[in-house]
Amino acid sequence: MQVSPLHLIPDCVLMKDVEGKTSRPIIPKQTVLTEQHIVVLQKFLVKTVHVSPKLADGSEYQPKEEEMQQRKSDLLETNLREETSSLPFAAHYQLAVKQYKALFVSWQNGSAIDITQVRKLIIPLLGRMKDIS
């Protein structure tokens, strides 16, 4: 089955090599994934991997719930919005620049540009332009 690294759990078994930009695989097939492997897959911006429908211990693999990931993302976004509104404009600007640089690095590594993330950074900052005068 093909799943996103965000939905992986420890003890999943890879069915195919995870290829990078070199001739050697990032993680070879038949590897039992650990938390560290999952982090590596996410850092390398791997979109999907092929895993066995059964875990290493023989139990059925159930991918992580997408709803839980979405709730966590929504909560983080709400907290970020509250955090930036209480910051002075200069600090908000510095935070937006730092986050934009992180997005840019991911684009350089081959990730697709997600314009909604860019808008979430820039629009609140533009809305606070009246604060600087």
Side-chain angles (χ1 to χ4, degrees):
M1 98 176 37
Q2 193 169 358
V3 296
S4 165
L6 295 173
H7 300 151
L8 291 173
I9 59 173
D11 289 337
C12 285
V13 180
L14 281 178
M15 299 305 291
K16 291 186 179 179
D17 289 340
V18 178
E19 299 292 332
K21 294 185 178 186
T22 63
S23 60
R24 297 183 55 193
I26 297 171
I27 302 175
K29 65 182 176 181
Q30 301 302 320
T31 299
V32 177
L33 296 179
T34 63
E35 196 65 45
Q36 188 176 16
H37 287 118
I38 295 168
V39 169
V40 167
L41 290 171
Q42 291 171 352
K43 295 289 183 186
F44 273 90
L45 303 173
V46 174
K47 293 188 187 332
T48 59
V49 294
H50 293 276
V51 295
S52 171
K54 298 215 181 261
L55 297 175
D57 62 5
S59 62
E60 193 72 26
Y61 166 60
Q62 294 293 331
K64 280 186 182 175
E65 292 292 325
E66 239 180 87
E67 290 177 29
M68 185 174 270
Q69 294 289 338
Q70 184 62 35
R71 274 189 256 142
K72 197 181 287 183
S73 173
D74 291 345
L75 183 61
L76 181 64
E77 185 178 318
T78 302
N79 289 343
L80 182 63
R81 215 176 300 125
E82 290 171 0
E83 178 184 312
T84 56
S85 65
S86 65
L87 290 175
F89 180 79
H92 185 180
Y93 173 78
Q94 292 297 326
L95 181 64
V97 168
K98 182 179 178 182
Q99 292 172 337
Y100 187 84
K101 284 181 179 181
L103 286 174
F104 187 78
V105 168
S106 71
W107 301 335
Q108 285 180 319
N109 290 330
S111 179
I113 296 174
D114 185 1
I115 197 66
T116 57
Q117 285 183 318
V118 175
R119 291 178 60 128
K120 287 177 186 176
L121 289 177
I122 303 299
I123 290 177
L125 194 60
L126 292 175
R128 293 188 63 188
M129 290 298 290
K130 64 182 182 278
D131 294 347
I132 62 172
S133 50

